[in-house]
Amino acid sequence: MRVYSADEVHAALPWPPLARALEAAFVAGAEAPVRHAHALSEQDTLLLMPAWNPQVIVLKLVTVIPGAAATVRAAVLVCDRRSGEALAVLDGEALTLRRTAATSALAAQRLARADARTLLVVGSGRLAGWMARAHAALRPGLQRVLVWGRRAAPAQALAQALAAQGLPAGATDDLEGATRGADIVCCATTSTEPLVRGAWLAPGAHLDLVGGFKPDMREVDDDAVARSRIVVDTYAGALKEAGDLVQPLQRGVITREQVAAELAELLRGLHPGRLGPSDITLFKSVGTAVEDLAAAQLVVCPRRR
């Protein structure tokens, strides 16, 4: 059985092939039960995310242990679907970072305006840089990447790192002004209070929300959600776990019908996504094991896809 390090996983998942693999997986469909959550104690949690297709079985195991040196750790097991043989174990953090960012960039290809030139990344944590890299890789016309964070130093450090890698990146301390001038606003935070206001969004803007994964987490306010054409990665996950949708739905700010499509429907051509240049679009992702399946299969058996 092969073990893939984080560096090996990143190297095996260049952005365009990964985006193509994700699109194919969403279009084809796969068995992906809603993730299992098990309380190990009052503080510690075990998450299990399985998915399978006719070729492989993938299981991602995630531990969330706040008292540990690294709060969240993950590993991905890949088995042959026909024989059940264990083929590989992959670094779970690297795979999650890569597939999360690529899924959002893939959705933005359908939902953001074709002439989008300015990307604002809200957040400066572990995921934020990968979001910027993925969007830039799948949108060659991007001319500006702005990074905003609650603390100036990490935002500046991330912007400098992205610039050193060839992205047109810089930090900003003006969230409202940056939002008003952005074509794509990507939020990758763990905020429980709205950061981006709907009143700040320019006509034609695209919101990419990936940070919140629990009902009490918010990255944008109700006005931003109400103004948007909404697409989710999956109905099952987003309508249960995404506070940016769950809260306004519970208060009647939006209706269930305003959550227009899930990503598979968009990619299959069953939903048009953006209807006009002034539409504000919103993609909300909480993650699905279909993404883990597509990425892991690309790493372990690229010739069998």
Side-chain angles (χ1 to χ4, degrees), residues 17-261:
L18 176 56
R20 290 193 295 270
L22 287 163
E23 180 171 7
F26 276 105
V27 170
E31 295 294 331
V34 176
R35 61 182 159 220
H36 306 230
H38 301 277
L40 301 174
S41 68
E42 290 187 3
Q43 298 82 25
D44 302 341
T45 304
L46 170 67
L47 301 174
L48 302 175
M49 297 177 64
W52 59 91
N53 63 19
Q55 291 79 44
V56 296
I57 304 166
V58 167
L59 174 65
K60 183 162 74 175
L61 183 152
V62 183
T63 55
V64 183
I65 302 178
T71 298
V72 180
R73 295 183 185 273
V76 177
L77 173 66
V78 182
C79 298
D80 185 279
R81 173 64 184 84
R82 301 174 184 89
S83 67
E85 177 189 2
L87 301 175
V89 174
L90 285 64
D91 182 276
E93 182 190 35
L95 184 135
T96 301
L97 291 169
R98 204 87 181 184
R99 61 80 152 157
T100 300
T103 299
S104 279
L106 175 64
Q109 286 186 321
R110 303 301 197 280
L111 293 171
R113 286 170 44 156
D115 62 352
R117 296 290 181 266
T118 299
L119 168 68
L120 168 63
V121 177
V122 180
S124 56
R126 190 81 174 96
L127 178 58
W130 296 104
M131 300 305 299
R133 296 178 188 104
H135 278 288
L138 296 188
R139 188 169 293 272
L142 205 63
Q143 296 178 351
R144 192 180 189 199
V145 178
L146 295 174
V147 179
W148 178 90
R150 291 182 184 275
R151 295 180 295 133
Q156 291 170 352
L158 176 56
Q160 289 170 358
L162 294 172
Q165 294 165 8
L167 275 68
T172 179
D173 60 3
D174 180 6
L175 180 57
E176 178 179 349
T179 301
R180 290 184 181 277
D183 301 305
I184 301 173
V185 179
C186 173
C187 296
T189 75
T190 56
S191 178
T192 56
E193 297 292 335
L195 298 169
V196 172
R197 307 289 169 177
W200 302 346
L201 296 170
H206 172 60
L207 278 171
D208 174 30
L209 308 182
V210 299
F213 57 91
K214 295 191 294 185
D216 64 344
M217 301 174 78
R218 294 296 301 266
E219 296 189 291
V220 299
D221 67 2
D222 285 354
D223 185 42
V225 177
R227 293 183 66 190
S228 299
R229 295 178 58 80
I230 304 167
V231 174
V232 297
D233 54 353
T234 66
Y235 295 127
L239 296 179
K240 178 182 178 182
E241 300 174 349
D244 282 305
L245 301 182
V246 171
Q247 292 184 33
L249 279 166
Q250 289 176 340
R251 290 197 299 272
V253 175
I254 61 172
T255 65
R256 169 61 183 80
E257 289 69 31
Q258 286 173 262
V259 182

